[in-house]
Amino acid sequence: SILIIFVCNLASCLCGSASCLLSSCCPSTYNSTISRLAFSFLLLLGTLVSIIMILPGMEDHLKKIPGFCKSDSIISGTVNCDVIVGYKSVYRMCFAMACFFFLFSIIMIRVRSSKDPRAAIQNGFWFFKFLALVGITVGAFFIPDGTFTTVWYYFGVVGSFIFIIIQLILLVDFAHSWNQSWLEKAENGNSKCWYAALLSFTVVHYALAFTAVVLFYVFYTTADGCVAHKVFISLNLLFCIAVSIVAILPKVQEAQPSSGLLQASLISLYTMYVTWSAMTNNPDKQCNPSLLSLVQASSPTPAPGPTAAPGNVQWWDAQGIVGLIIFLFCTLYASIRSSNNTQVNKLMQTEDGQGLTADYEAAAGEDGVRRAVDNEEEGVTYSYSFFHFSLLLASLYIMMTLTNWYKPNSDYESMQTSMPAVWVKICSSWLGLALYLWTLVAPLVLPDRDFS
């Protein structure tokens, strides 16, 4: 009830009128960014509910859902239902969010301006949207188990990989925008201060990345084993050095004066995070010590088995928390602004300079109150359909992150480790480096194209 009241008040405040609950929510005075933030809020709300479902102590309540746990039987003879019920609940919650955003993605295909009647659905009726999401969620929890979780797992793997690619594009764009912004401020203001700030962040990023490499070799490799980890760490270290050198080549600097080591250092640090995240999903425990075992003395514990207590499944591992933080940053970044880069906007189907950072004149009403103006009468500033598709992928990424990429019907030992997750993340790190390298050399390879 509190959530419903909050959403109602949110919609009313955004529109400036309580009557918008029964109308199209004032599309003629609605700014496109508010809609993106509101949909992102619904995604965040679903994420919070998913986190609550895997908190210790929730399994007793979730087991009451029909079809989830028949008595206390062992699923596939390997995992107790007390252990897996939280993960199954997250699967259904994220399935509901994915269906919700998929429905809007289909409805909003080829919406060209706010004059399209469907734009009113995009920018209004928030109370009914919330009810629709709640209804889909309730229905999802009554889906018979069967092969549902197994099939949805593969959807989650593919969707998460695509979303990681979108994260990488946003990160590369953020790095370029950050460097360009500070260089402009250095040219127009206190140059020593801004150049010192650029140098400081660059040094910190490289120091953290190098420290991570050393720690990886110490804790995630052994003298006579963990060959895959050694290859991953070494390759990514060499790739980071290579892109850093390319970033400061004279020809690259001439084609892109704003290119520099700040972007390369940020990409290198992110690459080391993805490398660590991949290694923490390795099923080989000799190459993947738990974070707790690195900071405290290990004690002998009984081997995990079908009768293991549900509390032994640690969902709040460090790489999962960091992954959620990066997800929130990317979602917010994509919601409040569009890129200054033409090619990124074409790829993300947005327009230059739009978002909360864009300048526009607010229209004053008869009462003298300035309200948000409709900035989409002539054409939408972002693709409604693609935006919802991105949130659909984000729902799948949240599902895989919260469940530690657990493959349904796997044994207890595999609940926090998965080789598909290792390769998805490692391949995404390589692709991210390739994307950044392309942003550096593209003006040289294709001099006739506009990469501004």
Side-chain angles (χ1 to χ4, degrees):
S1 300
I2 295 176
L3 290 176
I4 292 176
I5 294 172
F6 178 79
V7 173
C8 293
N9 290 333
L10 174 65
S12 300
C13 292
L14 294 178
C15 299
S17 171
S19 63
C20 69
L21 293 179
L22 300 177
S23 69
S24 60
C25 204
C26 323
S28 60
T29 60
Y30 209 89
N31 183 267
S32 61
T33 304
I34 303 299
S35 295
R36 284 189 278 183
L37 285 173
F39 277 111
S40 298
F41 169 78
L42 291 179
L43 177 65
L44 175 61
L45 186 63
T47 303
L48 293 176
V49 173
S50 299
I51 292 175
I52 292 173
M53 288 177 177
I54 52 178
L55 289 176
M58 288 298 297
E59 59 273 0
D60 291 336
H61 302 283
L62 295 174
K63 284 167 57 178
K64 299 176 182 178
I65 300 176
F68 254 39
C69 289
K70 298 179 180 178
S71 67
D72 288 330
S73 60
I74 305 299
I75 300 177
S76 301
T78 55
V79 180
N80 192 288
C81 187
D82 286 338
V83 177
I84 200 65
V85 66
Y87 284 4
K88 294 171 66 177
S89 300
V90 171
Y91 266 58
R92 281 159 172 76
M93 181 68 227
C94 293
F95 171 79
M97 290 194 296
C99 289
F100 177 78
F101 292 120
F102 176 75
L103 177 63
F104 274 91
S105 180
I106 296 299
I107 294 175
M108 297 301 162
I109 290 177
R110 300 183 68 83
V111 174
R112 300 301 187 188
S113 71
S114 60
K115 297 177 182 178
D116 190 309
R118 292 174 294 171
I121 302 177
Q122 170 75 7
N123 297 325
F125 299 106
W126 294 105
F127 175 70
F128 299 106
K129 289 176 185 175
F130 179 77
L131 289 184
L133 179 58
V134 172
I136 296 174
T137 301
V138 172
F141 275 84
F142 288 91
I143 297 176
D145 195 29
T147 60
F148 167 76
T149 50
T150 302
V151 173
W152 195 237
Y153 163 81
Y154 291 104
F155 276 93
V157 170
V158 176
S160 298
F161 179 77
I162 300 174
F163 183 76
I164 290 174
I165 303 306
I166 294 177
Q167 277 189 339
L168 292 168
I169 295 173
L170 294 175
L171 182 68
V172 172
D173 177 64
F174 170 76
H176 281 294
S177 299
W178 182 7
N179 190 72
Q180 182 180 359
S181 174
W182 281 21
L183 285 177
E184 291 177 353
K185 291 179 179 179
E187 293 174 357
N188 300 327
N190 189 342
S191 59
K192 291 184 179 180
C193 178
W194 288 109
Y195 282 127
L198 281 169
L199 179 61
S200 300
F201 275 95
T202 300
V203 171
V204 169
H205 291 160
Y206 275 125
L208 291 174
F210 179 75
T211 302
V213 170
V214 174
L215 294 176
F216 294 163
Y217 277 118
V218 172
F219 295 109
Y220 290 91
T221 64
T222 58
D224 55 351
C226 305
V227 177
H229 284 191
K230 294 176 182 177
V231 172
F232 295 156
I233 299 169
S234 301
L235 280 179
N236 282 351
L237 175 61
L238 293 175
F239 291 157
C240 289
I241 295 174
V243 297
S244 299
I245 294 174
V246 172
I248 57 176
L249 289 177
K251 289 187 176 181
V252 173
Q253 290 281 308
E254 182 180 353
Q256 295 193 71
S258 62
S259 174
L261 290 178
L262 177 63
Q263 302 99 308
S265 65
L266 183 60
I267 298 302
S268 299
L269 181 59
Y270 181 78
T271 299
M272 290 305 133
Y273 154 71
V274 176
T275 305
W276 168 64
S277 180
M279 293 188 298
T280 57
N281 285 110
N282 193 334
D284 188 351
K285 292 303 180 182
Q286 290 186 343
C287 305
N288 178 21
S290 67
L291 188 63
L292 291 178
S293 69
L294 300 180
V295 297
Q296 66 182 21
S298 60
S299 57
T301 55
T307 59
N312 290 343
V313 179
Q314 180 182 336
W315 67 269
W316 44 268
D317 59 304
Q319 65 95 358
I321 294 175
V322 175
L324 287 177
I325 293 174
I326 295 176
F327 150 76
L328 292 175
F329 165 77
C330 291
T331 302
L332 181 63
Y333 183 76
S335 297
I336 66 175
R337 78 179 297 276
S338 297
S339 175
N340 293 324
N341 184 284
T342 303
Q343 301 302 316
V344 173
N345 284 320
K346 287 181 179 179
L347 184 62
M348 303 300 294
Q349 299 190 29
T350 55
E351 289 188 2
D352 296 352
Q354 298 296 335
L356 288 183
T357 58
D359 295 328
Y360 63 90
E361 291 294 330
E366 295 179 356
D367 56 357
V369 178
R370 296 176 94 61
R371 306 182 187 279
V373 298
D374 182 6
N375 58 348
E376 298 185 318
E377 284 187 346
E378 302 300 326
V380 295
T381 58
Y382 67 102
S383 170
Y384 293 172
S385 182
F386 184 81
F387 174 72
H388 289 294
F389 180 70
S390 299
L391 294 184
L392 182 157
L393 298 177
S395 303
L396 298 176
Y397 176 78
I398 286 298
M399 179 182 77
M400 301 308 294
T401 300
L402 292 180
T403 60
N404 295 296
W405 296 72
Y406 168 69
K407 183 178 181 180
N409 299 326
S410 299
D411 57 17
Y412 185 92
E413 190 73 18
S414 302
M415 286 201 68
Q416 291 185 291
T417 56
S418 172
M419 281 309 296
V422 174
W423 286 108
V424 165
K425 294 177 180 179
I426 284 296
C427 290
S428 69
S429 71
W430 295 338
L431 186 55
L433 289 168
L435 284 170
Y436 174 62
L437 181 62
W438 174 249
T439 65
L440 297 176
V441 303
L444 301 177
V445 177
L446 302 172
D448 297 331
R449 297 286 297 277
D450 178 20
F451 291 95
S452 60

